[in-house]
Amino acid sequence: KLAQQLNRHDSIGIDLVAMCVNDVLVQGAEPLFFLDYFATGKLDLDVAERVIASIARGCQMAGCALIGGETAEMPGMYAEGEYDLAGFAVGVVEKERIIDGRGIVEGDAVLGLASSGPHSNGYSLVRRIVADANADLSAPIGPGTLADALMAPTRIYVKPLLALMRDTPVKGMAHITGGGITENVPRMLPPGVQARIERGSWTPPPVFDWLAEHGRVDEAEMLRVFNCGVG
C-alpha cells in the first residue's frame, strides 16, 4: 500500500526477491531461480511492467534466473489500484556444506552486515506511525527524503556472502526479518550458546530514530520489530 501511495513500483520487486534469496542464503545455499505471482483486480500495464521489471533487476542482483510466473486479473477481489505480489526462490547447497549453526562455540565472532533501511518488515507499524504523525513524506532525512528512507529497496546479500563463504568458515547466519534482531539471531544458535551484541557498535540509519521518536517505540520493541540497521 505504501509503495502504491508513493508510486514506488520500480523497487518493490527487488524487495520480493531479496526476502526470498536472503532466506535461502542463510542456509548456505546459492539461489538458482525465482518465480513470481502478480494479482490485481484490473491490470494496469504500466504498473505491472514496472513491478515485473524490478523483479528481474532483483534477480540480476542475486545472480539467479527469473524463469516464470503468473499474472492474475481478478475483478472484485482487490480495491482499485491494489495488487498482491508473491514469489519464491530455489537454491542449492551440498548437504555437507549446509549452514545450520551447529558448529558455533563460545568465542566465535558475530558480524553484522548493514541494512539499507527497514527492508520488508514492520510496515504495519510504519504505516501507523506515518499516519498518526501526519508525516511529510517529502521531508529530508539522511541523504534523501522520508519516502526514500522508508522505501529503500531491501539489500540483497547473495554475492558478497557467497564470496565470503568461499574464503572464510561461516558457521551460522540469520536473516533479520520479522522478529527483528532479538528473535532472529537466537534461531541460528545451538543450545547453551548466546550471542553478545554490543548495541553501540553500529549506527542505525536515521529512519529508525525517526520511527522510534514519532511512534514512541522503546528500544526493546524496535529491536523486536525492525532490523535497526543490521540486515
Side-chain angles (χ1 to χ4, degrees):
K1 290 180 179 179
L2 194 57
Q4 178 197 14
Q5 176 187 349
L6 298 174
N7 193 25
R8 296 299 176 98
H9 310 291
D10 297 313
S11 62
I12 194 168
I14 296 174
D15 293 317
L16 175 66
V17 173
M19 297 304 285
C20 295
V21 298
N22 288 343
D23 275 351
V24 167
L25 177 67
V26 295
Q27 312 305 314
E30 179 177 1
L32 295 182
F33 60 83
F34 187 87
L35 286 90
D36 66 86
Y37 171 78
F38 180 95
T40 187
K42 180 175 175 57
L43 192 64
D44 182 323
L45 289 178
D46 176 65
V47 170
E49 287 176 359
R50 291 168 62 188
V51 171
I52 302 305
S54 72
I55 293 173
R57 284 198 302 277
C59 287
Q60 288 179 325
M61 295 164 68
C64 66
L66 177 59
I67 64 171
E70 170 72 10
T71 301
E73 193 172 26
M74 297 183 286
M77 287 292 293
Y78 299 93
E80 182 178 356
E82 289 188 356
Y83 56 84
D84 185 23
L85 191 60
F88 74 94
V90 172
V92 64
V93 58
E94 295 291 342
K95 187 174 182 180
E96 64 271 14
R97 299 187 67 180
I98 292 174
I99 294 177
D100 57 11
R102 283 182 296 179
I104 295 174
V105 296
E106 182 179 352
D108 284 341
V110 180
L111 304 178
L113 298 186
S115 69
S116 54
H119 286 179
S120 298
N121 292 104
Y123 275 84
S124 295
L125 180 56
V126 168
R127 293 198 311 271
R128 177 67 180 270
I129 294 171
V130 167
D132 288 353
N134 193 25
D136 177 6
L137 293 170
S138 64
I141 183 171
T145 66
L146 178 58
D148 294 332
L150 291 174
M151 297 302 296
T154 302
R155 186 176 177 192
I156 293 176
Y157 296 97
V158 174
K159 292 180 179 179
L161 276 179
L162 288 177
L164 175 67
M165 287 186 283
R166 285 192 291 267
D167 297 332
T168 305
V170 177
K171 298 180 179 182
M173 287 188 280
H175 183 200
I176 311 303
T177 56
I181 291 175
T182 54
E183 292 185 10
N184 283 282
V185 172
R187 293 177 186 172
M188 71 173 178
L189 300 174
V193 178
Q194 293 181 329
R196 178 175 178 176
I197 299 173
E198 298 292 344
R199 183 62 182 85
S201 62
W202 79 95
T203 301
V207 67
F208 293 107
D209 292 332
W210 186 94
L211 290 167
E213 177 185 350
H214 288 81
R216 297 184 295 279
V217 185
D218 64 30
E219 183 178 51
E221 184 70 356
M222 288 293 296
L223 291 169
R224 191 191 69 80
V225 175
F226 299 109
N227 66 62
C228 293
V230 179

